[in-house]
Amino acid sequence: MSSNLPLFDLYRTMRRIRTFEEHVGELYVRGLSAGSMLHLSIGEEGAAAGVCAAMKPQDSFTTHHRGHGIFLARGAEPDRMMAEIGGKETGYCRGKGGSMHIADMALGHLGANAIVGGGIPHVVGAGLSYKRQKKDAVSVAFFGDGAMQQGILYESMNMAALWELPVLFVCINNQYGMGTRIDRATRSTAFDKRAEAFGLKAEMVDGEDVESVFQAAQGMMDAARAGQPGFMAVSCFRFYGHGRMDKSPYRSAEEEETGRKRDPVAHARAGLLARALATPEQLDALDAQIAREMSAAIDFTAASPAPPLTSMFRDVYGAGQPEPEPARSRIDRILARV
Amino acid sequence: MVEITYRDALRQALHDAMVADDSVVVIGEEVGLYGGAYGVTKDLIRQFGPERLIDTPISEPAIIGTAVGAAMTGLRPVAELMYVDFLGMTMDQVGNQAAKIRYMFGGQIGVPMVLRTQGGTGRSAGAQHSQSLEAWIMHTPGLRLAMPATAGDAYHLLRHSLTLPDPVVFIEHKSLYARKEEADLETPDAPWGKAVVRRRGEHVTIVTYSRMVHVALDAAKTLATRGIEAEVIDLRTLNPLDMATVIASVNRTGRAVALSEGVLTAGVSAELGARISEECFDYLEDPVLRIAGEDIPISVSQALEGSSIPTVDLVVESIEKMVR
């Protein structure tokens, strides 16, 4: 592995994701999180950091249930993210989207999706736009291994390959679709072969090693930019349950112990130290600074207001379009008849 | 005024929209070389090429999903779903994605796309190619819904749909494509979202849309020979739903019939009936009468198919009983 790779930056991104996720889990446990849905991506930081580092500012992407890390790696502000997850007015979507529907057009985030595979065809449409508009941009679909069993993925891969679109499909294989391990969901886990069958450039990468992910993603992004869409499966291990409160009764303590040894953050840290690219003191100071940043995001969220009730009827339709009539005014009008 | 078929009016609308706006693309099965299963996009590929008349594999969810993504990134796609019956396959992309993206994302972005499809009976196409699923669309906030009955509306509602900031489901009627009539392609009958009174009458108001407008008008003609004047309201769009025009009419006539080709239960006629009952209660001389499709799948047998939806005779007889 050559030493000119931005391993220090990749480490920082991964550490920020890890710490964000730990803090956002705390937000949830303290009852400051909106809703019952919170899916942490601890263990998957290598996939998020590695692929996003290979993306350019004009590129776009969609994510899935477990997309916090990807959005952070893309440059999202932790306070606005946490506020969105907390359902606050100051969040990226003014509190209406939450963890599973976060989006930001300024960063090319075309949306997280709470439907398994739901956002995948949107990158095909984005790729179509870019090709037609002759824009030098690639659209990347992030999804989990659960979506490998969804038909929409195959329709989308077929179209992207057929039309030679600037699109990259990234499967983050954390071994579990909710509580079902991948070997109980499919007979074949040779995901690259499935993609190759459609004419995509395909690769399998070990997500514990962020540098490998980054290098593979760079090659894939270059090819996609040139009209050869690709597919990457990044293998990793989901440290915790499906949702924050899921205690993973469907897997053994031994499996978790073994899986958690595949830790991309620890791996990158060890790599930095082994190659003398950083000192333990430098990394400890960085970690502490990140912890302060994430604590501040929690404070920001706690101090932020809830969206006003008047915003409830806003944005169902576009600007200038009539808003839906609230129930109370309809009922009052009907009951006030002559 | 020109004499034009409903089909040609739709093609003219697509043509004119594509000339006016370079970002308009048509995407769907057989829309290009074949010219559309019902011929609406015939020959457009000659003028606009395969870059804008995009033939797709038979992959309905991805067609709609691609249109959603394209609409979010600067194109104005017209996705064609060959039959409204295939909505079931695509309902995630239509109902969970296109309809909700603006709201979920706090107003950051909308999905300005048109989903063109056709529905209804009359071609003996069987249970999986003849449904009227507009109630599914009405039931989903975030989607606009247009259902033209005339060639003029086919043209103007489609042109207007392609200027809206939101996803529009545009349901054509398979039995209207060949219908030829005088149309004014310069000026619409009414603005988007406004209903039009197609016939004036004082005894009863028939509220309807799409092909049932013509059933209502034929029934009204017969009723007139028997001394009953029926007012016929063509809703034109079901979202927005112009209740003001409906209320004004029903308050004047005192009777309302909600007429729909879709099945009765939990259908559009049920919604119209409920709204009219709420809004016009003090003016109603009779309960709102729903005349709708039978609660059964559509048969291939033409005899059964034709009898399973409201007929002119049924409308005439029902209104005669109601008014007398």
Side-chain angles (χ1 to χ4, degrees):
Chain A
M1 200 65 66
S2 65
S3 59
N4 61 351
L5 284 169
L7 184 55
F8 191 86
D9 289 344
L10 291 169
Y11 172 79
R12 174 167 46 210
T13 301
M14 288 193 295
R15 171 55 69 190
R16 286 180 81 233
I17 295 170
R18 175 74 51 97
T19 309
F20 178 89
E21 294 283 56
E22 286 165 354
H23 279 67
V24 91
E26 184 194 326
L27 192 80
Y28 183 90
V29 171
R30 281 167 56 186
L32 295 172
S33 181
S36 52
M37 303 286 186
L38 189 72
H39 309 91
L40 303 183
S41 65
I42 291 177
E44 305 177 16
E45 296 89 344
V51 177
C52 289
M55 290 169 67
K56 292 187 175 174
Q58 68 269 28
D59 298 335
S60 65
F61 62 107
T62 62
T63 66
H64 56 319
H65 286 70
R66 218 170 294 286
H68 299 159
I70 298 156
F71 192 22
L72 265 179
R74 179 64 180 178
E77 296 164 26
D79 51 358
R80 287 183 69 199
M81 268 188 80
M82 213 149 341
E84 185 58 41
I85 293 163
K88 297 300 183 72
E89 168 76 0
T90 51
Y92 272 102
C93 305
R94 299 176 178 197
K96 282 178 174 170
S99 168
M100 295 195 296
H101 309 293
I102 202 162
D104 180 47
M105 298 310 130
L107 290 173
H109 191 351
L110 300 178
N113 217 293
I115 305 292
V116 173
I120 295 173
H122 304 170
V123 308
V124 178
L128 187 72
S129 288
Y130 302 150
K131 189 172 182 182
R132 175 155 168 69
Q133 296 160 347
K134 299 191 173 23
K135 265 174 86 171
D136 175 37
V138 177
S139 199
V140 183
F142 291 94
F143 48 90
D145 44 289
M148 289 303 299
Q149 273 57 256
Q150 282 277 1
I152 189 70
L153 171 65
Y154 299 99
E155 296 189 11
S156 298
M157 292 202 298
N158 182 52
M159 281 189 185
L162 179 69
W163 296 336
E164 299 177 329
L165 299 178
V167 165
L168 177 60
F169 299 93
V170 178
C171 171
I172 300 177
N173 179 5
N174 68 17
Q175 317 301 320
Y176 280 87
M178 207 170 161
T180 301
R181 199 169 63 194
I182 188 66
D183 57 5
R184 292 177 57 223
T186 185
R187 180 66 70 90
S188 166
T189 52
F191 295 156
D192 53 343
K193 299 285 179 278
R194 300 189 195 180
E196 277 168 3
F198 287 98
L200 294 165
K201 181 181 162 75
E203 207 167 325
M204 305 266 256
V205 198
D206 179 3
E208 189 188 354
D209 182 11
V210 68
E211 293 181 275
S212 308
V213 177
F214 172 68
Q215 284 183 327
Q218 270 198 323
M220 286 284 170
M221 290 296 286
D222 288 346
R225 226 172 278 284
Q228 167 61 66
F231 170 91
M232 287 172 69
V234 186
S235 173
C236 48
F237 186 79
R238 192 185 76 199
F239 279 26
Y240 298 101
H242 169 68
R244 176 64 182 79
M245 301 310 274
D246 169 13
K247 303 283 185 235
S248 312
Y250 42 79
R251 62 189 191 185
S252 68
E254 295 74 39
E255 184 186 346
E256 293 205 339
E257 201 188 323
T258 309
R260 285 176 188 168
K261 284 185 181 142
R262 295 175 59 194
D263 184 338
V265 182
H267 186 86
R269 187 183 174 100
L272 284 168
L273 295 174
R275 278 180 266 160
L277 294 168
T279 65
E281 293 73 27
Q282 276 176 319
L283 295 181
D284 288 346
L286 175 68
D287 293 357
Q289 184 238 316
I290 289 170
R292 284 193 298 276
E293 181 193 14
M294 299 309 166
S295 294
I298 287 199
D299 294 342
F300 175 81
T301 300
S304 289
L309 288 183
T310 51
S311 77
M312 183 158 59
F313 299 95
R314 240 176 260 154
D315 298 322
V316 182
Y317 302 100
Q321 304 293 312
E323 290 174 1
E325 183 181 17
R328 190 175 300 277
S329 81
R330 183 183 67 84
I331 290 166
D332 287 349
R333 178 166 47 73
I334 287 160
L335 297 182
R337 66 172 188 266
V338 285
Chain B
M1 297 291 273
V2 290
E3 196 174 48
I4 192 168
T5 63
Y6 186 89
R7 174 190 288 116
D8 289 345
L10 290 162
R11 184 187 308 112
Q12 190 68 44
L14 286 173
H15 171 274
D16 293 355
M18 291 179 90
V19 168
D21 181 354
D22 188 52
S23 67
V24 175
V25 296
V26 178
I27 178 168
E29 294 156 10
E30 313 293 353
V31 297
L33 284 178
Y34 190 95
Y38 282 84
V40 171
T41 53
K42 193 163 177 281
D43 289 339
L44 288 178
I45 195 170
R46 285 197 202 163
Q47 184 173 348
F48 299 103
E51 304 265 289
R52 297 183 72 191
L53 271 296
I54 304 169
D55 279 322
T56 66
I58 300 174
S59 305
E60 286 84 2
I63 293 167
I64 309 304
T66 296
V68 170
M72 292 173 77
T73 49
L75 295 185
R76 212 173 236 292
V78 180
E80 182 175 312
L81 190 59
M82 203 179 285
Y83 287 83
V84 78
D85 309 71
F86 308 157
L87 199 59
M89 306 170 69
T90 69
M91 208 51 186
D92 175 54
Q93 290 302 323
V94 176
N96 281 323
Q97 313 295 341
K100 300 192 175 92
I101 278 174
R102 183 188 297 282
Y103 195 80
M104 290 191 305
F105 300 167
Q108 289 183 65
I109 194 165
V111 182
M113 63 174 281
V114 175
L115 168 54
R116 267 192 57 238
T117 186
Q118 55 81 31
T121 63
R123 291 182 61 89
S124 190
Q128 296 175 338
H129 285 70
S130 305
Q131 294 170 90
S132 299
L133 299 180
E134 52 270 23
W136 282 17
I137 302 300
M138 273 184 98
H139 198 65
T140 306
L143 300 174
R144 297 301 193 187
L145 174 58
M147 295 191 69
T150 66
D153 270 353
Y155 180 85
H156 290 292
L157 292 178
L158 185 49
R159 285 301 303 275
H160 192 90
S161 297
L162 282 163
T163 67
L164 288 172
D166 301 308
V168 179
V169 179
F170 193 94
I171 307 180
E172 299 153 15
H173 198 293
K174 62 170 69 65
S175 291
L176 292 179
Y177 284 126
R179 191 185 163 88
K180 197 177 229 183
E181 61 197 349
E182 289 276 306
D184 182 352
L185 299 190
E186 301 297 319
T187 315
D189 290 350
W192 170 268
K194 283 292 284 183
V196 164
V197 178
R198 296 282 178 208
R199 181 189 174 104
R200 289 267 164 208
E202 56 192 307
H203 299 121
V204 59
T205 301
I206 307 175
V207 185
T208 188
Y209 58 94
S210 191
R211 184 172 60 145
M212 283 294 134
V213 169
H214 305 291
V215 169
L217 289 170
D218 288 350
K221 220 177 279 178
T222 303
L223 285 164
T225 66
R226 302 178 194 178
I228 297 170
E229 291 297 335
E231 183 143 310
V232 177
I233 293 180
D234 176 359
L235 291 168
R236 302 169 70 245
T237 61
L238 296 177
N239 183 344
L241 182 60
D242 176 15
M243 283 308 295
T245 299
V246 174
I247 292 165
S249 172
V250 175
N251 284 353
R252 198 164 44 72
T253 63
R255 293 186 181 89
V257 170
L259 175 64
S260 162
E261 186 169 333
V263 300
L264 179 79
T265 301
V268 175
S269 63
E271 179 64 30
L272 290 170
R275 289 196 188 216
I276 294 167
S277 298
E278 281 183 344
E279 304 273 3
C280 307
F281 183 78
D282 295 308
Y283 296 87
L284 284 171
E285 294 181 33
D286 285 290
V288 180
L289 184 68
R290 293 180 289 152
I291 305 182
E294 305 284 5
D295 281 327
I296 55 172
I298 305 295
S299 303
V300 162
S301 153
Q302 283 166 330
L304 295 181
E305 179 192 41
S307 303
S308 66
I309 61 158
T311 59
V312 173
D313 286 348
L314 179 66
V315 175
V316 169
E317 287 163 23
S318 308
I319 290 179
E320 269 200 298
K321 283 178 200 160
M322 186 188 201
V323 174
R324 295 211 188 280

